[in-house]
Amino acid sequence: MFQRDLFTPDRLFCPGPTPVPKSVALAMGETSIYHRSDEFYKVFRRCGDRLAPIFGTSTLPLILTASGSGAMESVLVSLTDVGDEVVVVNGGKFGERWEKLAKAYKCETETVQVPWGQAPTAAAILTAVSRQKQTKAIFLQANETSTGAYYKVDSLVKELRRSYKGLICVDAISSLIAHPMKMDEWAIDAVVSGSQKGFGLPPGLAFAALSERAWGQLSARPRFYFDLEKERKGQAEGRSAWTPAASLVFALDAALQHLHEVGIERVLDHHATLAKAARAAVQAMGLELFAVTAPSNTLTSITVPAGVDGQRLVKRLRQRFGMFFAGGQDELKGKIVRFSHLGFVSRFDLIDGIAALEFALREEGFHLDLGNGVKAAMQNMVSSNAQQ
């Protein structure tokens, strides 16, 4: 449909999968280690130990061969029984997934509807809790990937804990590495994530961490593949209950080693810097941010300007410039563009993405002075670096 720009490689600016570093890709080539050997168990257990501080927990996060949705399902099935009352926060496609899971497993579900692009309030969640006799668990996102809204989990959970004593379960699939997570300190009972987001791996691994309190409240539901209690016992020694995606475990080991060598705090600061620069660029280009009141460090959601076909814009970015941005979903289809800066993304990658967006918008008929976005991003990053 669009003539490809010469010598342009494909680049990922979608919120998953994210770019895979060369060292991580090379680690996936390890095929000589049997997954039922002491050598593999050592690698597997090391991954769990290195995940724990990223989750902010003293318990061992479990590594599952599944997508992030598998981790969500494993937590909901493990912590609820049929008929249990639960509250779900739905502010986008992934809050909707919690809702669908809860209803599929026959929980009595109270849903807190949040306008897309905004964050929920503790008051709204507690109002939903008050409509139930005994809420077993609250399920919410840390970062709603479909809208680019971050929920400020630390302050939100702190407010909830003033009166709510039940379980709190958080989907941090797209927020880990980009936003802090202090599961134990913030009194969160379950946190899930996935390999293809901040960890810079292909899809295929999911992670689930439970608090000691949650481990003491496992449900009586029958479970088989997602039997987290069985996984916990085995993974304490580096053994998964089922055949693991061994190549991805080696890749995870390489990615975690790199993240810890750099330092988790530096990685978090880096994501905050990129996000601020991206937002500055968007505004300098004459565009509007979508998640204005709840911006994310994972991705920047941009309102498509009047007169521009949002779906065509995303296609142009992919086909002409090799830049894989994400469009909106459901009611936001064609209305927003999602520009990810999650994972192993450098400030130079960010500048390339902004430049491609400027070119694509100009070719789609939107009037802007080329370079304004790039300049604003660069100036913002210089200012951020000076303050560090």
Side-chain angles (χ1 to χ4, degrees):
M1 182 177 180
F2 301 105
Q3 184 176 8
R4 181 64 171 247
D5 205 38
L6 290 178
F7 313 124
T8 303
D10 286 339
R11 307 275 291 279
L12 294 173
F13 290 99
C14 48
T18 60
V20 178
K22 186 176 293 185
S23 60
V24 173
L26 289 173
M28 284 190 287
E30 175 58 70
T31 58
S32 62
I33 299 178
Y34 179 43
H35 67 272
R36 297 301 183 201
S37 67
D38 289 340
E39 190 174 0
F40 183 81
Y41 296 158
K42 182 179 179 181
V43 174
F44 196 94
R45 176 59 203 244
R46 182 167 64 224
C47 286
D49 289 339
R50 286 174 168 172
L51 283 169
I54 295 174
F55 280 76
T57 183
S58 59
T59 64
L60 183 69
L62 302 179
I63 302 170
L64 309 173
T65 298
S67 68
S69 296
M72 293 172 73
E73 180 167 336
S74 74
V75 164
L76 189 137
V77 169
S78 296
L79 296 179
T80 67
D81 282 296
V82 172
D84 275 350
E85 294 180 320
V86 302
V87 168
V88 172
V89 176
N90 182 349
K93 289 297 292 181
F94 297 96
E96 180 183 275
R97 189 157 302 173
W98 274 134
E99 182 179 9
K100 287 182 176 180
L101 281 166
K103 290 180 177 179
Y105 283 99
K106 302 187 186 312
C107 293
E108 294 297 323
T109 306
E110 188 75 32
T111 301
V112 179
Q113 295 289 350
V114 180
W116 285 29
Q118 297 181 28
T121 64
I125 297 172
L126 291 173
T127 296
V129 169
S130 71
R131 289 196 287 265
Q132 296 181 326
K133 292 181 179 178
Q134 186 173 3
T135 302
K136 178 68 181 293
I138 296 171
F139 295 93
L140 70 153
Q141 320 319 116
N143 188 77
E144 179 50 69
T145 320
S146 66
T147 67
Y150 179 64
Y151 287 178
K152 296 181 181 178
V153 176
D154 53 344
S155 57
L156 182 62
V157 173
K158 184 178 181 179
E159 287 188 60
L160 292 174
R161 284 301 186 204
R162 288 173 182 165
S163 59
Y164 173 71
K165 307 302 180 185
L167 300 173
I168 297 178
C169 305
V170 176
D171 161 12
I173 291 171
S174 68
S175 71
L176 286 191
I177 302 300
H179 289 278
M181 173 54 68
K182 298 181 180 180
M183 179 178 159
D184 292 352
E185 181 181 328
W186 297 345
I188 297 173
D189 295 292
V191 175
V192 300
S193 194
S195 60
Q196 78 278 19
K197 303 291 186 177
F199 295 95
L201 272 65
L205 293 182
F207 315 120
L210 273 63
S211 68
E212 290 296 345
R213 189 168 77 121
W215 282 117
Q217 296 185 40
L218 295 181
S219 72
R221 290 186 192 271
R223 294 184 287 277
F224 187 70
Y225 186 81
F226 288 133
D227 186 338
L228 296 188
E229 189 171 23
K230 185 175 183 179
E231 287 288 1
R232 187 190 195 195
K233 291 176 182 177
Q235 292 194 25
E237 299 178 358
R239 299 192 310 272
S240 60
W242 314 108
T243 303
S247 61
L248 291 177
V249 172
F250 293 123
L252 176 63
D253 189 43
L256 289 171
Q257 179 177 338
H258 186 49
L259 289 170
H260 282 284
E261 285 175 352
V262 172
I264 301 304
E265 289 303 319
R266 281 189 66 196
V267 173
L268 291 170
D269 289 343
H270 173 73
H271 280 84
T273 296
L274 292 189
K276 290 175 184 175
R279 294 194 288 270
V282 167
Q283 292 170 317
M285 292 158 62
L287 303 173
E288 294 182 4
L289 297 167
F290 180 70
V292 177
T293 60
S296 169
N297 291 345
T298 295
L299 74 157
T300 299
S301 52
I302 307 162
T303 301
V304 175
V308 174
D309 183 329
Q311 291 178 270
R312 181 182 164 89
L313 175 63
V314 171
K315 285 182 181 178
R316 182 180 289 278
L317 283 161
R318 292 180 183 178
Q319 295 176 11
R320 176 147 166 70
F321 299 109
M323 302 290 192
F324 283 74
F325 284 55
Q329 297 172 287
D330 280 2
E331 64 188 66
L332 295 180
K333 192 172 185 178
K335 296 179 181 179
I336 66 169
V337 171
R338 293 178 293 149
F339 175 26
S340 171
H341 24 79
L342 174 64
F344 292 84
V345 175
S346 75
R347 58 179 177 170
F348 300 105
D349 293 325
L350 185 82
I351 291 167
D352 286 352
I354 293 166
L357 181 59
E358 288 190 292
F359 277 132
L361 282 165
R362 183 72 172 266
E363 292 183 5
E364 284 296 313
F366 180 70
H367 177 73
L368 76 165
D369 292 326
L370 291 176
N372 277 0
V374 169
K375 180 180 179 180
M378 293 177 72
Q379 290 177 333
N380 191 277
M381 284 189 280
V382 167
S383 175
S384 296
N385 288 337
Q387 294 171 13
Q388 292 179 2

